[in-house]
Amino acid sequence: MSENPNPIPPTPGDTLIFENDRVRVWTMTLPPGGMFDFHQHHHDHVVIWPEAGQVQGQELGDEEWGIVQNADPGFVLYKTVGTAKPLNPHRIRNLRDETVTHYVIELLEPSPSAEELPWTFNDHGEFVFPGRTEH
């Protein structure tokens, strides 16, 4: 079997702003209409939106951009990726007319769960997978 010539990068942001042996903190800044291409999460992580934003995501292999995040200031999401496998590769695009930035905090210690668990988040926004319930 040949190796994939274009492997999916495990970098969930455009700029690494902090790293130690327990966490990595990334920013993801998207200009109006901008996109962050396919990437993959290998660690449980927290996503923080300090300002409002609206983005849409697409999982690799899906025809539609079905995933939607509508963030008010202070929107926080948490994802248990688990130890069995990384999340499905996905990409994200900005639906706003202004630049948006959010932070991704990767927890580098092994996940307490073997399997992926649903997203959890606070009441400062919504995270929608059409056709699925993710709360």
Side-chain angles (χ1 to χ4, degrees):
M1 182 188 303
S2 65
E3 273 190 49
N4 181 352
N6 298 311
I8 303 295
T11 51
D14 50 37
T15 304
L16 179 64
I17 60 172
F18 178 82
E19 180 176 20
N20 66 22
D21 60 338
R22 298 183 67 199
V23 299
R24 271 193 293 252
V25 181
W26 299 85
T27 60
M28 183 184 290
T29 300
L30 299 168
M35 181 181 68
F36 188 78
D37 210 358
F38 286 106
H39 61 282
Q40 197 167 32
H41 296 268
H42 291 259
H43 303 283
D44 294 356
H45 57 281
V46 177
V47 178
I48 300 173
W49 286 85
E51 304 295 331
Q54 183 180 35
V55 296
Q56 200 170 34
Q58 180 186 40
E59 289 191 343
L60 185 65
D62 286 356
E63 291 184 26
E64 302 294 323
W65 287 78
I67 305 163
V68 177
Q69 287 182 45
N70 293 309
D72 293 329
F75 187 39
V76 177
L77 306 100
Y78 174 76
K79 181 65 172 174
T80 299
V81 173
T83 57
K85 62 179 183 159
L87 289 186
N88 290 335
H90 58 279
R91 60 184 174 174
I92 187 171
R93 67 181 175 190
N94 181 5
L95 298 178
R96 293 272 174 108
D97 291 332
E98 63 271 345
T99 298
V100 297
T101 298
H102 62 273
Y103 297 87
V104 180
I105 302 159
E106 294 182 287
L107 309 174
L108 302 179
E109 294 176 348
S111 177
S113 175
E115 299 302 317
E116 175 186 348
L117 298 177
W119 285 92
T120 56
F121 46 89
N122 66 7
D123 62 354
H124 294 283
E126 64 179 349
F127 188 71
V128 180
F129 279 89
R132 291 192 272 175
T133 307
E134 288 278 333
H135 294 268

